[in-house]
Amino acid sequence: MVLLVSCSCLIACGGPKAVRGEDVAGLDDQAMGTGLDRYDLQKLLHENMEALQRSAVIKRWQSENQPTLAVIPIRNDTSEHIESALESLASDIETALVNAGHVRIVSLERQGQIMEEVRKQYGDAFDPTTVARWGKQSGARYFVTGKVFSTDEMFEGERRVQYSLFMQVLDAETSDVLFQYKSTLTKAIVR
Amino acid sequence: MESTFRVRGLVGWLALVTVACGGHAATTREARTALDVGDPNEALRLLDERLEVDSPSEVPEDLDSSNVLYLLDRSMVLQELGKSKLSSHDLEVADKQLMVLDFSRGATDELGKYLFSDQSGPYRAPAYEKLLVNTMNMMNYLSRGDLEGARVEARRLSVLEQYFKNSGEAKDAFIGPGSYLAGFVFEKSGQPDEALRYYDEALQAGKFQSLSDPIRRLAAVSSYRTPRISALLADTAATDASSSASPALPADGTSVAGSPDFAEIVTIINYGRVPPKVAERIPIGLALTYASGALSPNDQARANRLAAQGLVTWVNYPRLGKPRGQWESPSAAIDGQWQPLDGALAVDREAKKAWDAVRGAVVASAITRTIARIVAGEVVRKSTNDGALGLLLSLGTQATLTALDTPDTRSWSMLPARIAIGRTRVRPGVHWVYTNVRGQRLKRKITLGPRQWIVIVDTVLR
């Protein structure tokens, strides 16, 4: 009886409750802040992968019979703590490339030394000799990398963050940029 | 039995009124007292209790104004305890929520402030508190050697600075330590132009002796110049030419010149505590003096009239309490040699300036509310033809409105009173770092390789 009364009180009070995405229509579509959520990641990934599919580098990979490729973590140059979202995006890129069947993926996650060096290189552009060494160490013929920038502004009780994701495909031996594409996305808190 | 219930009811009512009168500050008094006696663990437990969570890793579901302030307070206690990841988490949650609270504050909240209670509506943090959220979190990230996270905080700080500059709210002093640290972040990220831009901002805010050497090193690889940076470079060159002593010696006495592989130790000391706001009753005459200029002539005349009739004698309003530890001089030594510390920011002074800027308006709203209560009581009394019942109802109305009227004592009360920064280049190898802050002595053994750096953050909120 007490439990029943407590439960009815909780429902009547309309307090917070846990739900599943499929239980609430449009839950995953609703923006909860100015960070990047799954919806945003899918949009950015979709645009970039479509552009990649149309690019000349795909024909090159097809002629090379599934060359090896590694995805370097995407650099966060924004004003939001979206590191975990970008890790997720890098994994999504790997998944999309593996499933497309053009390349074989070499994971850098277990290559601690390279990952450490990647993080230290975050401040400036990748040095060609370093990229070549990473290629030899990891066995990757190509690298996919990227960076996300943001323009963040506040004005009269509103905040707008404009994201730009640059994705690149690098030749590990020469550091030549074989593909580059930019996709954009805006998140905001408005009145 | 019935009388027991009555007594309990009365005690409950009195407790409610007491809490209401003390406002938010009264709810953190015990935690602040725990910090005063050097027991941050107890302060953490008390703040968790306020947040109604079981551990410091938990954040309450309801992030109203009070809970956001408890989170900010907890972040500082966690920083003192060396739990920088948890401190970062609290600051990041509070950072976003402060913005939401700020944006959601509307005209009705302002109206409520003048009619019912100073504490009505969401908390609107002053500029120095908002800027220090990112500054404090940059310290957390740097203490973990996480440049990527620190860069995000530096960018967030820049967005806020720009916003406050555009709105005319930001004063140079606020941005001193944040710009200093942002410059360090970009220097160590290999972005000399960006680093010099931030260091220039820091120099605009105050004198930082410890920046001379880094700016000179960066200027050798960057063409970024401002009049301040050019002047500093010219001064340093002149000093070098006229002095036979070697410039900026590292702790072991070896010359910096020609030593690009030297490591660096940065010591940040946050000490003391900003003044909390305290609920206080002040005589109407003094309140009218404080509010002169902020009160309309009509309200001023009405308040004087009511005061002369003896109907208004006291006004409830929040006063700024006393800071702690602002006169203390912390010290740091590396391998037995004392290191100079730059006074980066007197947060307590900024808190006082921010309070002085709004005090007139706050007291004016307190007087307006007091007048509104008297007028409401008079209306009730007259509507019942001035009978005994009317008098009782009038007193009841005034008592209810008085109980609802809570002076706004909300603030980030566990911010340090002062921030000091020191940095020293050292040979790669093992070093001993000693700090003495408010009587708390710490000794650390650190090992640094060539070009490595470490940021030590000592926060003592006593």
Side-chain angles (χ1 to χ4, degrees), chain B residues 33 38 90 98 102 104 112 143 237 240 250 275 278 317 323 404 421 423:
Chain B
T33 306
D90 280 357
L98 275 180
D102 206 4
S104 62
S143 71
D240 286 354
V278 184
Y317 108 113
L404 287 172
I421 305 176
R423 55 193 288 185

Side-chain angles (χ1 to χ4, degrees), chain A residues 6-79:
Chain A
S6 305
C7 287
S8 61
C9 181
L10 278 175
I11 292 164
C13 293
K17 58 176 182 175
V19 294
R20 288 197 175 79
E22 56 265 32
D23 295 339
V24 182
L27 183 69
D28 284 333
D29 301 336
Q30 195 182 343
M32 305 283 274
T34 49
L36 293 179
D37 56 28
R38 199 174 71 197
Y39 183 97
D40 303 321
L41 294 178
Q42 291 299 323
K43 183 180 180 292
L44 291 171
L45 180 70
H46 181 71
E47 276 185 35
N48 276 282
M49 296 317 285
E50 274 207 335
L52 182 64
Q53 287 297 331
R54 295 192 301 269
S55 71
V57 76
I58 292 291
K59 283 179 189 157
R60 179 171 170 160
W61 288 346
Q62 282 167 343
S63 68
E64 290 179 10
N65 190 24
Q66 288 197 313
T68 49
L69 180 146
V71 178
I72 295 175
I74 294 164
R75 184 168 123 190
N76 179 14
D77 273 351
T78 76
S79 54

Side-chain angles (χ1 to χ4, degrees), chain A residues 73-84 86-87 115 118-120 122-123 146-148, chain B residues 138 141-142 144-155 185-186 188-189 453:
Chain A
I74 294 164
R75 184 168 123 190
N76 179 14
D77 273 351
T78 76
S79 54
E80 295 281 340
H81 287 288
I82 52 169
E83 293 81 9
S84 59
L86 294 183
E87 278 175 29
M115 293 295 274
V118 167
R119 288 201 177 89
K120 280 185 181 168
Y122 267 1
K147 47 193 167 187
V148 186
Chain B
M138 226 184 309
Y141 277 104
L142 284 172
R144 305 201 290 274
D146 184 344
L147 281 176
E148 188 168 18
R151 280 197 299 268
V152 171
E153 289 302 320
R155 290 187 202 105
V185 168
F186 284 98
K188 297 305 173 192
S189 298
W453 53 270

Side-chain angles (χ1 to χ4, degrees), chain A residues 114-183:
Chain A
I114 295 179
M115 293 295 274
E116 187 64 27
E117 287 184 37
V118 167
R119 288 201 177 89
K120 280 185 181 168
Q121 288 257 328
Y122 267 1
D124 41 27
F126 289 120
D127 170 40
T129 53
T130 310
V131 171
R133 183 165 52 79
W134 289 346
K136 279 184 187 154
Q137 271 180 267
S138 65
R141 173 80 180 81
Y142 297 97
F143 286 113
V144 170
T145 185
K147 47 193 167 187
V148 186
F149 295 93
S150 71
T151 309
D152 188 337
E153 288 174 293
M154 286 170 70
F155 184 70
E156 289 187 351
E158 297 187 339
R159 183 177 194 142
R160 184 184 67 187
V161 187
Q162 295 171 312
Y163 292 99
S164 299
L165 167 67
F166 285 87
M167 199 172 111
Q168 285 183 331
V169 175
L170 303 176
D171 184 321
E173 285 175 12
T174 62
S175 286
D176 287 347
V177 179
L178 304 175
F179 166 81
Q180 182 159 312
Y181 187 79
K182 180 179 95 167
S183 53

Side-chain angles (χ1 to χ4, degrees), chain B residues 34-274:
Chain B
L35 290 174
D36 293 347
V37 298
D39 192 354
N41 282 304
E42 175 64 3
L44 182 62
R45 190 191 65 75
L46 289 164
L47 287 169
D48 277 345
E49 208 171 272
R50 283 283 166 201
L51 286 162
E52 295 180 1
V53 295
D54 295 328
S55 81
S57 59
E58 289 178 37
V59 171
E61 287 175 353
D62 180 15
L63 286 171
D64 61 7
S65 297
S66 288
N67 279 350
V68 170
L69 285 166
Y70 294 142
L71 277 184
L72 286 171
D73 284 341
R74 191 174 72 172
S75 74
M76 287 295 88
V77 176
L78 287 165
Q79 194 179 70
E80 172 160 4
L81 290 166
K83 297 176 177 177
S84 76
K85 273 194 177 176
L86 290 174
S87 175
S88 283
H89 185 240
D90 280 357
L91 285 168
E92 281 155 31
V93 172
D95 187 7
K96 293 194 172 173
Q97 208 55 30
L98 275 180
M99 186 176 64
V100 172
L101 289 173
D102 206 4
F103 290 177
S104 62
R105 193 173 175 96
T108 48
D109 298 317
E110 289 305 314
L111 193 64
K113 191 173 156 184
Y114 281 89
L115 287 177
F116 307 115
S117 169
D118 207 17
Q119 202 168 288
S120 66
Y123 178 63
R124 188 168 193 269
Y128 77 91
E129 284 187 1
K130 286 182 191 159
L131 290 166
L132 283 171
V133 171
N134 301 117
T135 305
M136 290 298 167
N137 208 11
M138 226 184 309
M139 291 178 194
N140 283 333
Y141 277 104
L142 284 172
S143 71
R144 305 201 290 274
D146 184 344
L147 281 176
E148 188 168 18
R151 280 197 299 268
V152 171
E153 289 302 320
R155 290 187 202 105
R156 294 183 74 81
L157 184 75
S158 287
V159 173
L160 264 184
E161 276 176 18
Q162 196 54 48
Y163 173 71
F164 287 129
K165 274 179 189 166
N166 292 343
S167 63
E169 274 187 77
K171 301 287 181 288
D172 289 341
F174 294 174
I175 61 176
S179 296
Y180 187 119
L181 295 178
F184 179 82
V185 168
F186 284 98
E187 180 190 337
K188 297 305 173 192
S189 298
Q191 297 179 38
D193 288 0
E194 198 77 342
L196 282 173
R197 186 176 72 76
Y198 278 112
Y199 282 153
D200 182 58
E201 273 184 10
L203 290 175
Q204 189 183 340
K207 285 182 180 173
F208 290 99
Q209 295 294 330
S210 59
L211 279 183
S212 300
D213 194 39
I215 286 176
R216 196 167 55 165
R217 286 198 307 269
L218 287 166
V221 292
S222 164
S223 58
Y224 183 91
R225 294 289 184 276
T226 63
R228 260 183 304 273
I229 288 176
S230 298
L232 184 141
L233 292 171
D235 278 357
T236 318
T239 311
D240 286 354
S242 64
S243 168
S244 56
S246 58
L249 290 175
D252 59 3
T254 314
S255 172
V256 168
S259 53
D261 285 343
F262 268 69
E264 192 159 22
I265 298 170
V266 177
T267 314
I268 302 171
I269 297 179
N270 303 314
Y271 60 100
R273 251 189 3 257
V274 292

